[in-house]
Amino acid sequence: MSTPLLEISNLKTHFFTRAGVAKAVNGISLTINKGEVVGIVGESGSGKSVTGFSIMGLVDEPGRVVGGSIKFKGRELLTQSVEEWRNFRGNEVAMIFQDPMMTLNPVLRIDTQMIEAVRTHEKVSKAEARKRAVEALAMVGIPSPEERVKAYPHQFSGGMRQRVAIATGLLNRPDLIIADEPTTALDVTIQSQILSEMQTLCRKTGMSLMWVTHDLTVIAGLANRVAVMYAGKIIEEGAVEDVLDKPLHPYTEGLVGSVPSKNHRGEPLYQIPGMTPSLINLPEGCSFRMRCPKATEKCHCEPPVTETANGRRVCCFHPNL
Amino acid sequence: MLAFLIRRISQSAVVLLVMSLLVFVGVFYIGNPIDILIAPDATPAEYARAVHELGLDKPLWEQYTIFLKGALHGDFGNSFVYNEPALKVILDRLPATLELAFTAMFIAVIFGIPLGMVAGMKANNWIGRNIMRFSILGFSLPTFWVGLMLIIIFSVQLNWLPSGGRGETVMLLGIPVSFLTLSGLAHLILPATNLALFKTSLAIRLTRAGVQENMQMDYVKFARAKGLSETRVIGLHVMKNIMIPVITVLGMEFGSLIAFAVVTETIFAWPGMGKLVIDSIGVLDRPIIVAYLLITVTMFIIINLVVDILYSILDPRVRLGQER
């Protein structure tokens, strides 16, 4: 295979807070190939959003990427100049956010916000940029886009706004879209519409998608591959059907087990005992060991990454092999 | 929009009517102007004649009706002191006050907003902190003291700028203005700075708070994720959101700037309305006081209306005329 689209190796993004250093992303490696849909799953605070922001070079203060490398089409991103970053964002990789109510500027019209996204990367006329905006809106299923493009964000519903955000992301035909829980704030019906539209879009345009979510059922229907994050690390990675059907890591097993299913109606849902550890004060060795039913003395050391068939990786002393 | 305007204008008429009644009654009970105006050695006959001439022997309600009838025709009565129509006396002074207020507001905006943006973006370094220190001073130092200090430093010690008066004026569209002559400008700088200090601090704080709040918003991150330059993210996206509260508050404050320029005008002997009304209160010149207050209220009403309209232009979520 040729160079992968995105290659993250040993990325570390830490937040230097007054209380201490929060290791939000603590040495993750992940590869995304062209046309692939990769899901990143994990609880709140597991570092999945920060991974997305690190790729975009948009980690907020007091956070900083402190180590590792992010290569896009073989090019190192972390050493880019400010101007190179600006050219990269929105052009080669686009990002859409969780809350569609907040991502669009409330006081600017949709066309202003979409046209500027085109014209910041390409010298085209306003009319040409507007035409592209209208096409993009049509592509994500917004009815009568010629008129709607003149509206303000508050004139759209939540689901429609998220479509506008996705359309904005598509404007410059990026190779990768990072979607940071884009359907979490939406109704289930709207969610499934948007999911199926994203799938179609990826298939049509050949673009890759990195879908960050805490919802395993979304991943199951959408992604080819999934990476499970816990306390700033990827603890398991593999093809979606493998990971969900036969989780190797006890944490993934717990996650899969706690999804409600109709086979266990009326029974109490499974819960992973305990809470996510504080990122400032991570336990030594495996950060899941305090909650893990299989933890032993060994787990006080850094667990090894085991690679198995079909590109599966798991980071545990006691995987369910 | 039209419905909104009509409703606002009719509301304003009611406000003015109530206001006029309150002021009229209030001034009536403050004291008898004849006691101040008439020579102490006047005979009772002279006294009675003066009272009769000014119409002060009529009952309060009758005085008010006469006043109201006149006011509807734009006649607020003659000033007891100047023996000229009160409205004319005030309007003669209005340009000076307006010029002072506009200049002060201009200073507040061109210094306050940029400084506030810097303070908001660099909240944790020394520039941001020093801007905030300055704004605390601007807020807390009393206007009269700052005015006196400005005079001591720039007029008395350095002898750079005149300490009082308005300087040469030229006519601009039939209104005398001083900012177009060198001498007028020199006279304008100190009082305008004095008056602007508080508003500048206010603009700094409002802008800073707005920047800090808006920079955290997802829309800023999304704008950056689109690849926009930082200039555009801040200059357009953040700026347009911040301007909503800033314009609202500064607009409202503009009214108070006009109405309460009194202190500054007194210190710098600026021949404006504020100085006039202080003098008039001293001699209980009723027509001037009443007319002044009504003009001030009218200005407040107009300014608020303009602010509301501006607000609806800036914030697309606000649509005028759909309230209720």
Side-chain angles (χ1 to χ4, degrees):
Chain A
M1 214 173 203
S2 54
T3 25
L5 187 65
L6 183 79
E7 196 176 8
I8 305 175
S9 39
N10 202 24
L11 177 72
K12 288 183 178 165
T13 305
H14 294 178
F15 285 77
F16 298 87
T17 65
R18 249 178 228 171
V21 179
K23 296 169 180 158
V25 172
N26 199 13
I28 66 160
S29 300
L30 182 72
T31 303
I32 298 180
N33 294 309
K34 198 170 161 22
E36 205 176 19
V37 179
V38 175
I40 310 272
V41 217
E43 300 171 56
S44 311
S46 58
K48 50 198 196 312
S49 296
V50 176
T51 306
F53 288 127
S54 303
I55 300 169
M56 295 298 281
L58 286 175
V59 179
D60 276 329
E61 289 285 317
R64 223 168 3 163
V65 176
V66 291
S69 116
I70 306 175
K71 284 201 173 120
F72 188 79
K73 293 182 177 168
R75 191 179 86 230
E76 177 59 52
L77 296 183
L78 294 176
T79 52
Q80 288 186 122
S81 69
V82 172
E83 192 52 28
E84 283 168 328
W85 267 118
R86 198 192 64 68
N87 282 328
F88 166 78
R89 283 181 208 131
N91 195 16
E92 299 188 84
V93 177
M95 186 159 182
I96 45 181
F97 297 141
Q98 176 170 2
D99 190 350
M101 299 296 181
M102 309 295 289
T103 48
L104 300 170
N105 192 328
V107 300
L108 296 176
R109 279 183 2 194
I110 300 298
D111 53 357
T112 319
Q113 301 192 45
M114 293 186 79
I115 289 170
E116 66 178 4
V118 177
R119 299 208 339 148
T120 192
H121 294 297
E122 243 180 279
K123 296 245 169 298
V124 292
S125 69
K126 268 200 175 157
E128 170 64 26
R130 172 187 300 270
K131 211 180 107 220
R132 260 211 241 163
V134 171
E135 282 166 12
L137 289 178
M139 217 194 293
V140 295
I142 287 189
S144 52
E146 294 87 2
E147 285 131 56
R148 298 298 272 155
V149 77
K150 291 189 209 110
Y152 283 98
H154 70 273
Q155 291 163 321
F156 287 91
S157 66
M160 282 296 170
R161 274 189 233 189
Q162 196 58 284
R163 282 167 210 253
V164 172
I166 293 170
T168 310
L170 293 174
L171 281 172
N172 294 295
R173 302 181 192 94
D175 300 299
L176 172 68
I177 287 198
I178 300 171
D180 185 6
E181 307 199 39
T183 55
T184 308
L186 304 176
D187 278 349
V188 187
T189 46
I190 309 291
Q191 174 177 318
S192 63
Q193 283 173 14
I194 287 194
L195 285 175
S196 80
E197 264 154 31
M198 285 308 286
Q199 255 173 336
T200 328
L201 277 172
C202 286
R203 225 173 290 137
K204 252 199 270 181
T205 58
M207 115 193 128
S208 314
L209 187 61
M210 174 173 153
W211 196 276
V212 175
T213 184
H214 55 246
D215 192 341
L216 279 175
T217 48
V218 167
I219 291 293
L222 182 71
N224 314 118
R225 221 142 46 77
V226 59
V228 184
M229 282 191 77
Y230 186 79
K233 291 214 162 93
I234 292 180
I235 47 115
E236 179 162 9
E237 192 199 329
V240 156
E241 43 292 355
D242 296 346
V243 173
L244 296 188
D245 289 348
K246 202 172 158 293
L248 296 185
H249 195 284
Y251 175 65
T252 320
E253 194 179 10
L255 272 190
V256 175
S258 50
V259 173
S261 85
K262 57 184 168 215
N263 302 336
H264 302 282
R265 192 187 295 270
E267 292 167 35
L269 285 172
Y270 175 72
Q271 283 183 34
I272 302 174
M275 275 163 46
T276 338
S278 150
L279 292 171
I280 291 176
N281 199 3
L282 285 178
E284 247 175 76
C286 175
S287 37
F288 187 60
R289 67 179 156 84
M290 324 286 241
R291 305 168 70 182
C292 184
K294 293 184 174 173
T296 56
E297 265 315 294
K298 260 207 292 197
C299 298
H300 287 267
C301 301
E302 201 63 36
V305 177
T306 319
E307 288 213 29
T308 65
N310 207 2
R312 280 193 86 171
R313 288 192 299 165
V314 61
C315 177
C316 184
F317 281 110
H318 312 287
N320 304 326
L321 284 172
Chain B
M1 183 71 177
L2 190 67
F4 166 79
L5 277 179
I6 292 170
R7 186 163 53 231
R8 276 300 277 272
I9 289 168
S10 50
Q11 283 168 355
S12 309
V14 175
V15 169
L16 277 173
L17 189 72
V18 173
M19 177 69 196
S20 74
L21 184 64
L22 283 175
V23 172
F24 202 87
V25 173
V27 171
F28 184 86
Y29 283 107
I30 286 178
N32 190 346
I34 295 296
D35 297 340
I36 296 170
L37 291 170
I38 207 160
D41 53 353
T43 61
E46 279 172 332
Y47 188 91
R49 205 180 66 230
V51 168
H52 182 72
E53 267 171 14
L54 292 178
L56 296 176
D57 51 348
K58 297 190 176 76
L60 177 59
W61 66 266
E62 203 181 331
Q63 287 186 33
Y64 181 68
T65 328
I66 293 169
F67 161 78
L68 210 56
K69 266 186 203 150
L72 286 176
H73 297 96
D75 174 15
F76 291 89
N78 280 12
S79 157
F80 298 161
V81 178
Y82 301 92
N83 203 22
E84 276 183 55
L87 196 62
K88 181 177 174 296
V89 175
I90 292 172
L91 290 185
D92 280 349
R93 316 284 181 108
L94 184 64
T97 298
L98 281 183
E99 185 175 16
L100 186 61
F102 272 116
T103 314
M105 194 44 97
F106 179 71
I107 293 174
V109 168
I110 62 162
F111 286 103
I113 293 177
L115 285 177
M117 299 205 70
V118 174
M121 282 182 288
K122 312 249 175 230
N124 292 319
N125 78 6
W126 64 273
I127 303 178
R129 282 202 216 108
N130 278 340
I131 293 175
M132 291 320 284
R133 285 187 190 121
F134 166 78
S135 89
I136 291 172
L137 282 185
F139 252 119
S140 34
L141 294 177
T143 313
F144 76 89
W145 184 83
V146 174
L148 293 175
M149 287 303 123
L150 286 175
I151 291 178
I152 290 176
I153 295 170
F154 293 101
S155 306
V156 180
Q157 297 289 335
L158 298 171
N159 208 9
W160 286 354
L161 295 165
S163 65
R166 209 182 161 196
E168 270 176 61
T169 57
V170 289
M171 299 302 267
L172 181 73
L173 305 169
I175 300 161
V177 293
S178 41
F179 75 95
L180 289 175
T181 68
L182 211 58
S183 131
L185 204 58
H187 281 85
L188 187 59
I189 293 175
L190 283 189
T193 310
N194 184 209
L195 197 56
L197 195 60
F198 185 87
K199 307 294 171 201
T200 310
S201 310
L202 188 66
I204 288 175
R205 300 198 147 240
L206 280 173
T207 313
R208 184 183 103 116
V211 169
Q212 289 193 315
E213 189 189 321
N214 278 281
M215 293 301 270
Q216 308 290 321
M217 299 294 232
D218 271 359
Y219 76 77
V220 170
K221 222 166 196 186
F222 189 61
R224 287 187 178 139
K226 286 194 290 193
L228 300 185
S229 65
E230 205 61 0
T231 325
R232 189 166 171 99
V233 172
I234 291 163
L236 180 76
H237 284 253
V238 175
M239 198 62 179
K240 210 168 174 207
N241 278 282
I242 294 173
M243 285 326 279
I244 297 168
V246 171
I247 291 217
T248 314
V249 176
L250 287 187
M252 308 267 172
E253 289 290 322
F254 186 64
S256 71
L257 211 52
I258 294 174
F260 306 120
V262 180
V263 177
T264 301
E265 287 186 4
T266 312
I267 291 173
F268 290 92
W270 188 261
M273 297 193 304
K275 193 163 174 309
L276 173 71
V277 79
I278 288 288
D279 296 343
S280 302
I281 291 170
V283 295
L284 289 177
D285 194 346
R286 280 188 195 172
I288 298 268
I289 301 171
V290 175
Y292 170 81
L293 287 170
L294 287 178
I295 286 176
T296 309
V297 171
T298 312
M299 268 189 308
F300 263 89
I301 289 170
I302 294 172
I303 289 167
N304 285 356
L305 184 64
V306 171
V307 168
D308 277 348
I309 292 171
L310 274 181
Y311 195 90
S312 77
I313 293 171
L314 281 173
D315 191 342
R317 289 162 295 187
V318 176
R319 283 282 164 264
L320 296 178
Q322 285 174 5
E323 45 196 359
R324 264 148 71 83

